[in-house]
Amino acid sequence: MDRPPDLPRRRFLHLAGTTVGLAATSACASAARSNGPGARGASGISGPGVPLTVDRTYKPTRFDPWIELDRAAWAHNVREAARLAGGRPILAVVKNNAYGLGDRAVGPMLAGMSQVGGLAAVRVEEALAMREEGVTKPIVVMAEGSEDEIEEMVRHDVLPSVWLDDAPGRLRNVSRRLGRPVPVQLFIDTGMNREGMPYTRARSWIEELVQSQHVDVNGTYTMFTHDLDFDREQHARFEELLGWARGKNLPLGTLHAAPTYELFHLPEAHYDMVRPGNALFGNPPGEEAREMADLRPVFSLKTRVVRVEHLEPGDSAGFNRTFMPDRATWVALLPIGRTDGYPSQANGTCEVLINGRVYPVAGGVNSAHTILDIGPDKTVEVGDVATLIGPDHPAVLPHTVAERTELGFLRIIQSMNPRLPRRVV
Ligand SMILES: *Cc1c(COP(=O)(O)O)cnc(C)c1O
């Protein structure tokens, strides 16, 4: 397949990242000498045009928040998913900016694992970003595209999906522009009525696409509703369609159907490969699934303490005097807030891990600041690393934060600010 002439651009980005990194290192060195919160200004190094991605903006000396991605935990979850799938390859779903955790970091990391056969996104930009980060395995975009979008995907070796009635015509036009058949994935709707060509009128459409000299059907898939009884009905509908295609000698490419829920609960739908997202991100589909696989938290949300102050009874901290202790206590300020993705509902419900101990969020979660109650002893210092979400203590597990804030796991991770640097550890 033709590769786009994007190498010079990638090389340029790489060089730009290196330059920025060097500039920031010396800035941080002098900031470290100045030894205090004044050093914070030095970490604002992400200029326009610099892609926000792994290790390009993260500096070990920063106070500002960052996200750590635990490669070993991701690899563990991938192994668990592959085990549930009986060793079938995984089409790893990293849509929606990798569910908030960062596709430029998560995509290449997952693509580097042998059990992962490819990646699936829902936006063209996501797929192109991951190609730009060096992913060479197949990438499927699980969305319909305009002719221009399909052309751009094919030029970058990304597989578009089609499901609209007029897909054969659009693919013919794109194929003529490119001078070669367009590889596509066929998305069949078996009853969810979200995306997909309705199975009820898919036959002539499939026949036309498979027989078209302008189209190369690379794969065919459906999506389940997660209602197990109806899943079985959907499976039967898909099977009937596949049986018909086999009978007519219409090759449909790689078959896939199972996202996380059906990876766990509908083994007959595992087909040629499985298509989970949530499982890889450490989110099992329900309590009973925790018995079936050991899924681990894959990320941490961290920052550093920028201020520690002593309060006397009568003092207060935060807007509207949110925290009014009736005893002498210490408070610590974290330079992280709602803008970064730490939810305001954490105030009064969540705790933060610093040096092996957890401290309650007490003085509010503002746009960019969070205030902790440290207690009567000054057990925290400026510069200490604070883990707001992570695997190292039950109180800060992603699922604990999700429960205490009543937001749910996906809401928590989808809220992570795309600009937070991602660091694979
Ligand atoms: C989101 C999505 C998936 C992955 O779902 P999970 O529940 O995260 O495993 C798979 N296929 C399609 C079409 C999706 O939209």
Side-chain angles (χ1 to χ4, degrees):
M1 190 138 300
D2 292 355
R3 295 292 305 180
D6 67 343
L7 200 63
R9 173 168 155 72
R10 200 179 293 156
R11 189 165 155 71
F12 165 75
L13 290 172
H14 173 74
L15 291 172
T18 308
T19 311
V20 169
L22 285 174
T25 305
S26 55
C28 280
S30 58
R33 281 194 295 278
S34 82
N35 194 27
R40 292 196 59 217
S43 57
I45 50 134
S46 54
V50 178
L52 291 156
T53 178
V54 206
D55 280 341
R56 287 194 186 141
T57 59
Y58 173 82
K59 292 291 159 281
T61 53
R62 63 185 283 138
F63 282 83
D64 286 346
W66 70 95
I67 289 177
E68 283 178 8
L69 302 165
D70 180 349
R71 186 193 300 275
W74 289 91
H76 172 85
N77 293 347
V78 163
R79 278 196 300 275
E80 285 292 85
R83 180 178 61 76
L84 289 171
R88 289 172 181 78
I90 295 168
L91 180 60
V93 178
V94 288
K95 62 187 179 185
N96 311 329
N97 194 27
Y99 294 49
L101 294 184
D103 49 25
R104 284 179 180 271
V106 173
M109 178 178 51
L110 288 175
M113 297 176 187
S114 60
Q115 302 91 338
V116 172
L119 304 176
V122 288
R123 295 282 152 81
V124 181
E125 290 92 334
E126 298 174 329
L128 299 187
M130 292 189 288
R131 278 277 177 263
E132 199 171 85
E133 294 297 329
V135 170
T136 54
K137 284 186 181 172
I139 302 179
V140 178
V141 169
M142 303 185 295
E144 263 281 1
S146 67
E147 288 181 16
D148 286 348
E149 287 170 318
I150 292 173
E151 182 180 340
E152 190 173 21
M153 284 188 262
V154 176
R155 285 191 187 282
H156 289 84
D157 198 10
V158 168
L159 289 158
S161 295
V162 289
W163 65 70
L164 292 175
D165 294 275
D166 71 345
R170 267 180 298 125
L171 294 174
R172 185 182 58 238
N173 293 343
V174 177
S175 162
R176 285 189 176 137
R177 284 197 217 168
L178 291 166
R180 58 188 157 117
V182 179
V184 290
Q185 294 258 326
L186 311 185
F187 196 158
I188 306 297
D189 184 355
T190 50
M192 186 163 175
N193 283 302
R194 196 175 66 169
E195 318 101 305
M197 163 57 66
Y199 74 106
T200 46
R201 60 169 200 270
R203 293 185 180 192
S204 57
W205 182 81
I206 289 175
E207 213 165 352
E208 185 177 356
L209 287 168
V210 172
Q211 288 169 352
S212 167
Q213 61 185 41
H214 300 290
V215 181
D216 168 16
V217 175
N218 173 279
T220 301
Y221 64 107
T222 191
M223 180 61 173
F224 289 109
T225 53
H226 307 342
D227 172 318
L228 199 49
D229 288 334
F230 191 61
D231 275 0
R232 294 202 173 93
E233 170 65 24
Q234 289 187 276
H235 177 248
R237 293 172 179 178
F238 196 50
E239 278 292 298
E240 200 187 332
L241 190 65
L242 299 178
W244 163 82
R246 268 194 303 275
K248 294 209 105 190
N249 265 322
L250 298 171
L252 297 182
T254 307
L255 304 176
H256 49 104
T260 296
Y261 183 85
E262 288 73 18
L263 168 65
F264 278 74
H265 298 301
L266 198 67
E268 61 268 40
H270 288 176
Y271 290 107
D272 297 328
M273 58 186 180
V274 295
R275 206 177 60 229
N278 269 282
L280 312 181
F281 289 74
N283 191 27
E287 281 308 310
E288 72 282 8
R290 290 181 188 276
E291 311 280 297
M292 300 171 65
D294 164 39
L295 300 179
R296 299 189 181 158
V298 289
F299 77 103
S300 300
L301 176 64
K302 295 185 175 181
T303 190
R304 273 178 216 270
V305 176
V306 284
R307 185 181 178 195
V308 180
E309 279 299 332
H310 192 249
L311 300 190
E312 294 290 337
D315 291 340
S316 65
F319 286 122
N320 298 309
R321 315 194 72 189
T322 298
F323 181 49
M324 292 191 72
D326 52 11
R327 54 188 155 81
T329 193
W330 292 87
V331 288
L333 177 66
L334 304 180
I336 184 169
R338 290 191 306 270
T339 313
D340 304 294
Y342 194 60
S344 53
Q345 292 89 335
N347 189 53
T349 63
C350 290
E351 294 160 290
V352 173
L353 179 67
I354 305 172
N355 299 327
R357 287 178 56 178
V358 291
Y359 301 97
V361 181
V365 178
N366 304 155
S367 300
H369 298 101
T370 293
I371 298 174
L372 307 180
D373 180 9
I374 298 304
D377 301 319
K378 188 172 184 249
T379 47
V380 164
E381 298 293 339
V382 168
D384 285 352
V385 172
T387 303
L388 295 99
I389 306 177
D392 302 327
H393 191 284
V396 297
L397 290 173
H399 281 92
T400 305
V401 174
E403 268 164 39
R404 291 187 182 181
T405 58
E406 297 180 1
L407 288 172
F409 178 89
L410 280 181
R411 280 278 295 283
I412 296 288
I413 66 171
Q414 285 171 347
S415 303
M416 294 296 130
N417 190 322
R419 300 188 70 164
L420 294 181
R422 270 67 173 170
R423 184 181 172 228
V424 178
V425 296

